[in-house]
Each structure stands twice: as C-alpha cells, then as structure tokens.
Amino acid sequence: GGIDSIFGMLTRPVRNPAELAAAKFEEDARLEKEEKSLQNLKHSLQSSQELTDQMLSVLTSFEQRLSNLTQMLPIHKLTQQIARAQKNIDGTLHSMEKISGMFRSIREVETVLEGNLQDDTELFLESVQRCGEMIQFFQNHQSFKSSDKAVKRLRQLSTNALTQCDTVFTDHLKRSAGPLNLLKLTENMQALSEKEEIELIPESVQVELRKLCSAMDGCGFYSYLEKYKDKRSQALRLTLERFLGEKQEGEDETIAFDRFGKRFLITVEILWKLCKSERMLAIQVLSNSSRVDSTFADTTDGLFEYFLRKGEELVRGKRVENQLRVFVMLDILEALHKRLPDYHTIFADNGSRMNRLSQLVDLYASACQSGMWEYQESVGHHPAKLVSKNGTVHEITSNTLNFLRQMLSRTATISRLEAVQNNDSFVTVESLFQQLISNLETKAKSYKSAPLSHLFLLNNFHHILKGVKHSDLEGIVGPALMDKLHLMAEAAERAYLAETFDRGLKIMEDDSANLVYKKGDTELAKNSRNAVKNKYNELNSFLDDLGSSQSMFCVPDDELRNRLWKSSADILIPRFERFHQKFSGLPFTRHKEKYFKYDSKSLRTMVERFYGDT
C-alpha cells in the first residue's frame, strides 16, 4: 500500500506554486483547529480527574465517620438509658411533691372546712371543691400507705362541709323564696305586663344559691335538690292560694263569686309569666342545666294543679246571678284564648299540661254558652207578678240592655263561641228581645189598672229604644227590630192616653141638646138640672181619681215625661174648657161653686203633678 501511495504521488500531476501555497495554508488551519480540540479535551480530562479525586476524598471521609459511629453506638445506647432513668426520677420526684402537697392541702382544707361557711364563703366553697379533687386523687393512688386514711378524713370533712352548705342553702330559701304578694303586685297590671319576668328571689341571693349548688354538685351531693323543689313548690302554691283566697264565713255568694272571678281572671293573665319566671330562676340557680326541665316541672306541678282545680270550681260551684256569671266566664275564656300561645311556649315539652289547659278552655266555652242560654230563658220566665206598683222601667229590661252591652264588648269571644256551637241553640239578639217583650207583656197584665198596664209597657219600650238608638247596640239590634219596638211603643202610648182620658172625655161630651127647659128657655127642668149636676159630679170624681192615680205613677225618662204631660194637657184642658164654657152658664143650680171644682189653671197644675213617684 505504501508503494502504491508513493507511486501515486510520483505519477500525480505537478501543481503550480500558487496551488501548493493555498493547500499548505488550508492544512495549517486544519492542524491548528485540531490542536485546539486536543487542548480542550485535555482540559476536560484534567477537570474530571479533579472531581474524581474530590469524590474519593468525600467517600474516604464518610467511610471514616461510619467507622467512628460504629465505635460510638454502645455509648449512645447508654446515654438513652441514663436519660430514661432521669425522666423516671423526675416523674417520681414530681409525684412525691404532688403527694406531699396534697397532704399539706388536707391540713389547709381542714382548717377552712372546720370553720363557718359564712366567714368566708368564697374560700369555703373553693375548699369544698379542692376536697373533692383530693378524694379523687387519693382514690386513684391507693398504693400509697396513707391514702385510705386521707380519703377517710377528706370524706368526713366533705360531708360536714356539704351539710353546712345544704343548711345555708335551705336558710336562703326560707328567708328569700317565700310566697309573693300578688294583691300588691297586680295593683298596676300595666307595669306588670311590661316586665319580662317577676322577681321571685333577689338577684344577689340567686348568685349565692348558684355557688352553693355548684359546690354541692361538684361533690355529688344532691339532697339540696328535693329541698329546693319543696320550698319553691310550696311558695308558688301559697302565692296563688293567698291571692285567690276562700269564701269568708257569712259572705254573700254573689260578692264572693265576683271577687273570686276577677282574681282568677288576673291569675290567667299572669300565671304563665309566673311559671316563666320560675323556669328562669331554675336556670339561674341550678348549676347543672340538665336538671332544669325536671325541676321546673316538679316545682310548678302543685301550682298548676291548684290553678286548674280552682278554675273548675268557679264553673261548677254554687250558682249566682246569671248575668254576672256569664260575663265573668266570658272574660276568663277570652283571657285563656289570648294567653294560650304563652302557656304553650312555657309548657311546650309538657303535652299533659297543655291538654288539661285545653280541657279547661272547653269547660269555660260550654259554661258561657249554657249561661247565655239560661239567661235568655230566665228573661222569658221571670215571675210575672214581680212588678213595681208605679209602672216604672223593670229591672229585667235594664239588665237585658246591660247584658247586650256586655255582649257587644266581647264580640270576638262570642263570635268564636258561635262558630263552634249549634246555631239553633245559640243566643241571638232577636231571640233575647222576643223573650223580653213576651215577659213584659205578661207582667203588664198583672196590673189591675189598665192605664198603668200600658204605661208600664211604654216605659219599658221607650227605655229600650233610647238605650239602643244612636249607640253601638243599634248595629246588632237591626232596623227591623227597631221598627217593631217603635210601633209597640207608639201603640202603648196611644193605649195609655186612651185608657186614661176616654172616661173623662165621654163625660165631657156635649149633650146639651137633650136638656129640657120649662117656662120658656130660662129654667131647666128638674131632670135636666140633675143631669148637669151629675155631669159635674162625675167629672169632678174623674179628675180627682185622675190626679190621685197619675201622681202615683212613674215615668223616669224626662223626654217621655214631658211629652206625656203635653199630650195629657192637650187632650184634657181644651175639652174641659169647651165643656165648662157650655155648661157653666146653664141655670142648673144656685150653688154653682159646689160643682166648679176645677178650672184650666188647676187642671194644668194637676197634669204637671202626674208621675209624682218618679
């Protein structure tokens, strides 16, 4: 191959010098480039070697450290054991210190608890709590030699201290948790209604009671709870008993019923607030909230039962005047309906109480309905002979109007009753007036005097019309019934005037044409003279009776009395004047003064003395 190369070179054509120079330049450049590449490679190899040497140094150091660690491992394990032992020693020392502190605390607690709670209440109660904690501690460390002895002593101290707490707790209740004076409290119902709660126990006492409860609860001492329930239950029951009271010996039944009914109505209005306040008191006093509901139920149970029993007694007790009874019942029923949401809020978790309260509401609704029906029946069956002698307005008329006025002021309650009652049996204004009118007409027939009978009806019908007209009653009576009453009053007035004056008017009729004269026209015949004398005698007798009887009658209403005076004068006096003018000039006697007993002036005076018994 070398020979061939040489041969090739020898046989290659010879280039000129310029080409050779150019080729040489190119070759030099290529060699310089290659030389630089070799230099870079050499530098890289040198850097790699340095890194390799460093890595070997690190590995050698790591190997040396591993070797040293292997030699130190037994020493480290020994150090851990020493640390563990140190920790155990520290724990033991701490426990010993704590135990020692507990024994020292026993002496401290003993000094406080053997004293009086009242000396320093805060310190005493704090010591009671510490006593409980120490009992728990020594029970958890029975391995100590003196634990049993310590527990025994602490329990003795705790029992004595808790007994003292219980005694003080009871004393607080006796002094500050007695019955309320509801008579004084309800003097201003407006102010009472604006209060959220009723203060049953002073706030400062509540704070003390709660501290005592907390201390006793913390030691598992719960005997105070029953005492709390008993005291509060007794206080609430006495509060209501003293307020409602009992019927006094010899007290009139109606007065007793009215007094009791009004106070029971107030009770309905405030009992829910009293119960609400009792619940809030339990929340404030009892440190354990889980006991509030049961405690509240127990403390208010007697109060609620007494309330229900008294409410039932009011309905089922001795009957009194029916109108008073009806409206006392209606007022209580309205208050019950009004306060049911409040009672439901208080007794939301006590369905039994709400059921009992609903039954009481139903009882009062039934009593109101039957009471109104009985009142209507009593109006219709009121004894006919029980009338006044002077024909004045009968009390049954006034009572019926008052009854309607009272009904009008309770329309919401009555409408609620009407909605749940049978319409055939519900009392209406029309049916009540029908019974009243029927009874008045029956009573009018008991008068022997026809004028007085009609005047009695007139007085009563006029009283009804005047009482109803231009009042709120007019709307519920209605125009048809008002028109009927107007017609009846007008008929009674006409009948009264007719029965009063018809006899006199008949006497004063002009029958002068029947008189007989003799000796011309200057002297009356004897029979005619006697006829004129009889007329005057009859008229005088009629007027005497009229003045005497009418003066004993009564028309209590000024307007009606003035109208009747005018009507009487308009009927009587003009007719008398015509009669007297006609017959007084006749020659029927020489002693006319015996027959001219009345004149227009005396008749007017007599008429103005009508109804003198008013």
Side-chain angles (χ1 to χ4, degrees):
I3 295 173
D4 290 337
S5 177
I6 296 170
F7 180 79
M9 294 175 59
L10 293 175
T11 57
R12 187 182 302 167
V14 178
R15 292 180 289 184
N16 59 36
E19 289 179 348
L20 289 173
K24 184 179 182 303
F25 179 79
E26 289 178 0
E27 187 66 21
D28 289 341
R30 184 179 64 79
L31 288 174
E32 185 178 356
K33 184 177 180 181
E34 290 293 334
E35 186 178 355
K36 287 182 179 180
S37 296
L38 287 173
Q39 288 293 330
N40 289 336
L41 179 60
K42 183 179 179 181
H43 180 72
S44 296
L45 288 173
Q46 187 178 353
S47 297
S48 177
Q49 184 60 46
E50 290 177 354
L51 289 173
T52 299
D53 292 341
Q54 290 176 2
M55 181 58 69
L56 286 174
S57 177
V58 170
L59 290 174
T60 301
S61 176
F62 183 68
E63 182 179 12
Q64 184 64 36
R65 289 182 180 181
L66 284 176
S67 176
N68 292 338
L69 184 60
T70 302
Q71 295 174 5
M72 287 294 295
L73 188 57
I75 299 173
H76 179 68
K77 289 181 178 179
L78 181 60
T79 303
Q80 285 183 326
Q81 293 172 357
I82 293 171
R84 192 179 301 113
Q86 183 64 44
K87 184 178 180 180
N88 291 337
I89 292 170
D90 291 342
T92 302
L93 291 173
H94 178 73
S95 297
M96 290 177 66
E97 179 61 28
K98 187 172 183 180
I99 293 167
S100 177
M102 284 293 179
F103 280 105
R104 286 196 303 272
S105 295
I106 292 176
R107 290 190 293 273
E108 295 172 0
V109 167
E110 189 175 38
T111 302
V112 175
L113 298 185
E114 285 181 343
N116 194 327
L117 184 150
Q118 306 288 354
D119 293 341
D120 190 336
T121 303
E122 295 290 339
L123 180 60
F124 191 93
L125 296 179
E126 180 186 344
S127 298
V128 170
Q129 183 177 358
R130 288 176 63 193
C131 189
E133 293 171 354
M134 285 189 285
I135 290 174
Q136 186 66 40
F137 174 82
F138 284 114
Q139 285 179 335
N140 293 336
H141 296 82
Q142 292 290 332
S143 58
F144 298 138
K145 184 176 181 180
S146 301
S147 291
D148 292 340
K149 184 178 179 181
V151 168
K152 183 178 179 180
R153 177 55 180 158
L154 286 168
R155 281 180 175 169
Q156 183 182 14
L157 288 171
S158 178
T159 300
N160 293 338
L162 292 171
T163 301
Q164 192 175 163
C165 288
D166 185 67
T167 301
V168 173
F169 183 87
T170 305
D171 289 342
H172 277 315
L173 288 177
K174 287 180 180 178
R175 288 196 304 269
S176 306
L180 299 175
N181 184 350
L182 286 187
L183 281 175
K184 184 176 182 180
L185 192 64
T186 56
E187 286 177 353
N188 189 343
M189 286 296 291
Q190 179 64 30
L192 182 60
S193 65
E194 293 173 357
K195 291 182 179 180
E196 286 293 324
E197 299 172 27
I198 300 171
E199 186 179 71
L200 304 176
I201 296 178
E203 188 175 348
S204 59
V205 178
Q206 292 182 35
V207 173
E208 294 300 315
L209 290 175
R210 184 176 181 86
K211 290 177 182 178
L212 292 167
C213 285
S214 180
M216 290 186 282
D217 281 346
C219 297
F221 189 84
Y222 306 120
S223 63
Y224 74 91
L225 198 56
E226 290 304 318
K227 296 177 183 178
Y228 175 83
K229 293 177 183 178
D230 291 343
K231 290 294 180 184
R232 290 306 308 147
S233 177
Q234 183 182 24
L236 291 172
R237 174 71 177 266
L238 283 175
T239 294
L240 200 54
E241 284 182 358
R242 293 177 182 178
F243 179 64
L244 293 178
E246 299 292 340
K247 181 179 177 296
Q248 300 173 5
E249 185 176 354
E251 185 179 19
D252 180 77
E253 291 289 345
T254 300
I255 294 175
F257 180 87
D258 184 49
R259 173 180 53 79
F260 184 80
K262 289 176 179 177
R263 290 191 183 180
F264 190 78
L265 174 62
I266 294 174
T267 301
V268 172
E269 289 284 355
I270 68 170
L271 183 69
W272 70 273
K273 185 169 288 188
L274 189 62
C275 290
K276 176 186 177 182
S277 302
E278 184 62 33
R279 183 180 182 83
M280 293 306 299
L281 177 65
I283 292 172
Q284 293 299 321
V285 170
L286 302 180
S287 59
N288 190 335
S289 59
S290 64
R291 296 197 184 95
V292 169
D293 289 340
S294 61
T295 302
F296 170 69
D298 290 342
T299 53
T300 56
D301 190 59
L303 171 72
F304 194 72
E305 287 298 322
Y306 182 77
F307 166 75
L308 292 175
R309 180 164 62 83
K310 285 299 180 180
E312 292 168 359
E313 285 179 6
L314 190 64
V315 175
R316 296 172 176 148
K318 291 183 179 180
R319 291 301 181 94
V320 295
E321 191 273 315
N322 199 274
Q323 185 173 169
L324 169 65
R325 184 174 183 274
V326 167
F327 292 114
V328 167
M329 298 295 171
L330 280 171
D331 289 341
I332 293 174
L333 179 62
E334 176 62 23
L336 285 169
H337 276 297
K338 175 184 174 183
R339 291 303 179 189
L340 270 179
D342 296 316
Y343 282 102
H344 187 272
T345 301
I346 300 301
F347 301 130
D349 299 328
N350 196 324
S352 174
R353 286 191 183 178
M354 289 308 301
N355 288 337
R356 295 283 304 282
L357 195 59
S358 296
Q359 291 171 6
L360 187 67
V361 172
D362 294 340
L363 179 64
Y364 272 83
S366 177
C368 290
Q369 169 63 14
S370 62
M372 287 189 289
W373 180 259
E374 289 169 8
Y375 180 78
Q376 177 175 286
E377 291 297 299
S378 71
V379 170
H381 295 92
H382 193 274
K385 293 184 178 181
L386 294 180
V387 293
S388 62
K389 295 180 180 180
N390 56 16
T392 189
V393 177
H394 199 280
E395 64 176 1
I396 196 173
T397 302
S398 301
N399 289 343
T400 301
L401 285 179
N402 288 334
F403 184 85
L404 287 173
R405 291 187 188 100
Q406 295 291 337
M407 285 183 67
L408 188 64
S409 66
R410 297 165 174 84
T411 51
T413 305
I414 293 173
S415 298
R416 192 182 296 113
L417 275 176
E418 188 175 8
V420 298
Q421 295 292 332
N422 185 342
N423 290 332
D424 294 336
S425 65
F426 199 80
V427 174
T428 63
V429 173
E430 185 175 0
S431 64
L432 184 59
F433 268 119
Q434 189 59 49
Q435 293 281 5
L436 175 61
I437 292 169
S438 175
N439 188 269
L440 291 174
E441 289 175 339
T442 302
K443 281 179 167 54
K445 293 176 183 178
S446 67
Y447 286 104
K448 295 180 180 180
S449 166
L452 187 56
S453 174
H454 295 299
L455 182 64
F456 171 77
L457 290 176
L458 175 59
N459 274 328
N460 283 276
F461 293 154
H462 181 79
H463 182 75
I464 294 171
L465 287 167
K466 191 167 184 179
V468 172
K469 194 174 182 181
H470 304 308
S471 74
D472 293 336
L473 286 177
E474 191 169 11
I476 65 170
V477 171
L481 188 54
M482 289 291 288
D483 291 342
K484 180 179 179 180
L485 287 167
H486 272 295
L487 292 174
M488 296 179 75
E490 290 170 358
E493 185 170 349
R494 287 195 302 271
Y496 161 70
L497 293 172
E499 291 289 348
T500 299
F501 296 108
D502 276 359
R503 177 176 156 234
L505 295 179
K506 189 171 183 180
I507 292 171
M508 290 184 286
E509 286 179 352
D510 184 4
D511 56 356
S512 59
N514 298 326
L515 297 177
V516 178
Y517 291 83
K518 64 179 181 178
K519 297 180 182 181
D521 294 332
T522 60
E523 185 178 353
L524 287 172
K526 184 177 181 179
N527 290 339
S528 294
R529 290 198 306 273
N530 290 336
V532 174
K533 291 177 182 179
N534 288 338
K535 268 185 173 295
Y536 269 102
N537 286 332
E538 288 179 13
L539 179 59
N540 288 334
S541 175
F542 165 76
L543 292 175
D544 288 343
D545 292 342
L546 181 67
S548 175
S549 62
Q550 293 291 323
S551 67
M552 300 301 292
F553 293 172
C554 176
V555 179
D557 183 74
D558 293 342
E559 177 189 348
L560 178 60
R561 188 166 60 253
N562 290 330
R563 189 169 78 231
L564 291 178
W565 278 341
K566 184 177 185 305
S567 297
S568 297
D570 290 346
I571 293 171
L572 181 62
I573 294 175
R575 182 66 66 88
F576 174 82
E577 289 174 344
R578 290 195 298 271
F579 169 81
H580 191 58
Q581 184 179 5
K582 185 72 176 179
F583 288 95
S584 62
L586 295 177
F588 66 94
T589 181
R590 295 176 184 176
H591 306 287
K592 291 184 178 181
E593 68 278 0
K594 291 172 54 178
Y595 299 94
F596 298 163
K597 188 174 180 179
Y598 293 93
D599 58 18
S600 298
K601 183 178 179 180
S602 61
L603 284 180
R604 187 170 297 279
T605 300
M606 181 185 72
V607 167
E608 290 175 354
R609 290 175 181 168
F610 284 2
Y611 326 123
D613 196 35
T614 299

